[in-house]
Amino acid sequence: MPLDTLHLQDRLTHLTLAPRTGGSIANWTVKDGGQALLRHADEGALQAGTPRQLGCYPLAPWSNRITEGGFDNPQGWLALEANADNSALPIHGSAWQQPWEVIEHSDDSALLRLESQTPFAYVAEQRIRLHEGRLDIQLQVTHMAEAPMWHGLGLHPYFPRTPATRLQARAGQVWNCDANSLPTQLSELPEHWDFNDERDLPTQHTDNAFIDWNGQARILQPDAGYALEISATGSDLYLLFCPERKPFFCFEPVSHPVNAHHLPGRPGLVLLHEGQSHSLTFSLQYRTLA
């Protein structure tokens, strides 16, 4: 069955959306030469029907893993079940596993919407726009259930990785994790995870959240002759995922740490009442390297 796709373009780049596959971006490429700016999704990945094989997908109404089978809200306990074959815990909310509708579409922009009842009623929207090599994503969730609930947001982009790929992204501390990628304690940045100045990506497996981020970052791809300048709002931490021996990595702007629903003070989560909204923005500017 052919995959429904939507195409955007500006003078420099071309973007393919897969709205019904979790509101995902399938590919973002440079027109001149076809360079992939997000991890390239080939025909097999497009037909697989999962955002995990595409370029970027939204995380709502929370990001990453939640323990203890759910979480507490002012009106009581919300029970959750595992929702992915590679995780024993519920992960990344529910927006990425539902089809989104196209509300507006022009040559360079689109508005996608999801009206969800899982695991509670909410409406999520993504406004996606290209302009002069800049990709802007605005993700917003509006709570629609009568009972208030804790919300969080994020985006899960996959970027190409070569031995020359470098990253610059300020942070104050990092969440150390156990073998299940669950946070254990905050610590100062070790040298191999100190991206306050530009450095190579870590060679060891990394799946950690970095706090006190200023919302600015830069990904350099010297082998391909370009850089991506990143800016974000609604996110003062990022999650860096670098699996070993894979040709990709993830730099995820998120509004809260992993398992924030069970951390003291629920850092980064927002309690929304019916009709209230929470948003996050993420921009990637393509620049050629001299």
Side-chain angles (χ1 to χ4, degrees), residues 93-154:
S94 61
W96 67 285
Q97 295 180 311
Q98 300 181 74
W100 292 53
E101 299 295 328
V102 180
I103 305 302
E104 299 173 8
H105 176 215
S106 68
D107 286 346
D108 61 5
S109 67
L111 175 62
L112 309 182
R113 179 178 297 157
L114 168 66
E115 297 183 8
S116 179
Q117 298 295 321
T118 306
F120 48 78
Y122 67 89
V123 172
E125 290 188 341
Q126 288 185 93
R127 188 171 291 277
I128 299 167
R129 180 173 183 259
L130 292 179
H131 180 68
E132 293 294 313
R134 181 183 175 99
L135 168 59
D136 293 320
I137 306 172
Q138 180 180 15
L139 174 63
Q140 178 175 287
V141 63
T142 301
H143 186 64
M144 302 303 291
E146 290 185 7
M149 292 282 178
W150 292 100
H151 284 257
L153 292 174

Side-chain angles (χ1 to χ4, degrees), residues 200-237:
D200 294 340
L201 293 174
T203 56
Q204 67 271 50
H205 177 85
T206 299
D207 191 5
N208 297 74
F210 294 72
I211 71 166
D212 301 326
W213 180 39
N214 65 355
Q216 305 294 311
R218 191 167 185 245
I219 296 170
L220 291 96
Q221 303 282 15
D223 288 351
Y226 74 91
L228 293 177
E229 298 172 357
I230 293 173
S231 60
T233 65
S235 169
D236 64 356
L237 67 160

Side-chain angles (χ1 to χ4, degrees), residues 36-55:
L37 301 178
L38 296 173
R39 177 186 62 176
H40 176 66
D42 61 16
E43 189 62 27
L46 290 168
Q47 295 295 337
T50 172
R52 289 180 179 272
Q53 293 193 31
L54 302 181

